[in-house]
Amino acid sequence: MKIIQQSALLLTALCAPVLAGTTSLVSAPPEVVLPEAKPFFTGSFTTAWQSNYTGRGYVVSRQGLQGEGCVYNILRLNHDIGDSKWSYNGIMTYNIAYSGHSLFGTPAINPSLLPAGAPAMRLPEANLENEFIFLTELKYTANEKFNIGFGHNFVHGGILGVMAKHFADKDHSYVNEFFINPEYNPYQWASLSCRVRYSTSGVKGWWFEPTVAFKAPVIGTPEDVTLAAILSFHVALTADYFQEYHGACSNGSQAFWIKLATPWFVTDDKRLIITPSLSANWLGKGALKANKKSGYKAATLDNNAVPFQTFAVVANVAVTYTF
């Protein structure tokens, strides 16, 4: 019996450290840090005011809208597709002219153009509808210098809607476009891109928009910027888009514009951004033809009754919240 008791005491002594350690592990397990869940969508919401109503570089004339300016809202959604180099981008835009929506205000035909004794007559109403744009894009990012996007663009209303309904004589005011957009960033502060669109309905044909942009921090560093400056140069060109029967623009250069934007990252988390910008816009040779052939100018004998401004300076202030 004594031998058994001694053996039990020895076993207890040997096991004590192990039991003590086990008790410690159970009462204080190591902390397990789980990776932070990544949201399915990231994106931003923008609301903005603009001094002139624009589209594709065109600036609508004061006579065309009985005033100037617009407000617009943009919702952007982005999703990275797994661990691949592909991502999805969706953009919805709603643009409202806050002046007239009846183009040129249905002006009266000049009496000298009417037969003698004929009653006064007005041109039929042609409206500019609020513009809704829905863009979907799949983007492939090969490396930090090159990416390319493929997608579809649906535009209802706005300038393109006017072209479809009132110049191409469609029974609707929308266009459907498919596009490709390669972008090359040779340096951290410079990028080159050329969005190529082909419209399959409304007005059919090709749109090209080459762009060169330069960006730099004004306050802060590229990795932690507070105020930035972005200077961009744009050209809008068409091919096989406008036909003679449209009585509108001819193909070729439509618009040229230079834009300076200065986004200010208001909060430390960079979620709130205020971006004032200023652009100088010139009409291209193709769009000048629309002013020259303006049916409103011919019917009213008013040289100011043209659709576009030959040159304009456009101011813009946008407020963006990212999420």
Side-chain angles (χ1 to χ4, degrees):
M1 178 64 71
K2 187 174 181 179
I3 294 175
I4 295 175
Q5 290 176 341
Q6 290 175 344
S7 299
L9 290 173
L10 180 60
L11 182 62
T12 302
L14 290 173
C15 290
V18 178
L19 293 174
T22 302
T23 303
S24 175
L25 289 174
V26 171
S27 61
E31 183 180 356
V32 178
V33 179
L34 297 175
E36 184 179 351
K38 187 176 181 180
F40 188 80
F41 278 116
T42 58
S44 65
F45 177 76
T46 298
T47 185
W49 165 87
Q50 191 164 272
S51 63
N52 300 76
Y53 192 96
T54 65
R56 300 287 168 94
Y58 302 125
V59 180
V60 179
S61 69
R62 172 175 287 274
Q63 290 75 15
L65 286 179
Q66 309 103 66
E68 294 174 312
C70 64
V71 292
Y72 61 89
N73 299 294
I74 304 174
L75 175 65
R76 295 180 173 88
L77 295 175
N78 313 102
H79 171 64
D80 291 332
I81 302 174
D83 296 326
S84 68
K85 295 184 176 182
W86 290 90
S87 61
Y88 164 82
N89 300 311
I91 302 176
M92 289 176 282
T93 303
Y94 191 62
N95 189 5
I96 306 169
Y98 58 69
S99 49
H101 284 256
S102 178
L103 296 176
F104 298 94
T106 60
I109 297 176
N110 191 286
S112 66
L113 301 177
L114 298 174
M121 297 180 62
R122 290 186 173 275
L123 292 172
E125 182 178 8
N127 62 323
L128 175 89
E129 300 172 57
N130 292 342
E131 183 181 51
F132 173 75
I133 303 174
F134 182 51
L135 179 148
T136 56
E137 177 187 45
L138 282 177
K139 189 174 184 179
Y140 177 75
T141 303
N143 49 55
E144 63 181 10
K145 289 191 174 183
F146 180 76
N147 65 76
I148 185 168
F150 310 86
H152 172 258
N153 198 34
F154 173 79
V155 183
H156 186 282
I159 294 175
L160 294 186
V162 168
M163 291 178 176
K165 189 172 184 177
H166 302 297
F167 292 95
D169 297 324
K170 303 297 182 182
D171 59 357
H172 57 75
S173 54
Y174 63 80
V175 299
N176 277 290
E177 300 175 315
F178 292 91
F179 68 84
I180 181 171
N181 185 33
E183 182 179 8
Y184 178 59
N185 303 281
Y187 307 102
Q188 188 179 19
W189 47 268
S191 66
L192 299 91
S193 65
C194 185
R195 187 180 294 270
V196 179
R197 304 176 177 94
Y198 182 75
S199 179
T200 60
S201 64
V203 184
K204 296 182 179 180
W206 295 91
W207 268 94
F208 305 89
E209 190 178 316
T211 300
V212 179
F214 302 94
K215 54 187 176 181
V218 178
I219 300 175
T221 64
E223 294 75 22
D224 186 20
V225 63
T226 299
L227 181 68
I230 303 172
L231 180 65
S232 54
F233 300 84
H234 308 256
V235 181
L237 307 160
T238 60
D240 195 30
Y241 195 86
F242 297 107
Q243 309 301 327
E244 285 298 323
Y245 71 86
H246 289 164
C249 307
S250 61
N251 290 302
S253 62
Q254 302 302 315
F256 306 88
W257 66 104
I258 302 172
K259 183 175 182 178
L260 175 64
T262 54
W264 171 35
F265 296 84
V266 180
T267 56
D268 292 337
D269 59 7
K270 314 301 184 187
R271 290 190 178 277
L272 181 63
I273 309 164
I274 298 176
T275 306
S277 64
L278 205 63
S279 71
N281 296 53
W282 294 265
L283 275 189
K285 185 177 180 180
L288 285 170
K289 183 178 179 181
N291 284 359
K292 183 178 180 181
K293 295 178 62 176
S294 170
Y296 291 94
K297 180 173 68 174
T300 62
L301 302 183
D302 179 2
N303 288 330
N304 292 319
V306 295
F308 308 121
Q309 296 189 41
T310 304
F311 171 77
V313 175
V314 181
N316 183 297
V317 178
V319 178
T320 300
Y321 178 77
T322 63
F323 54 86

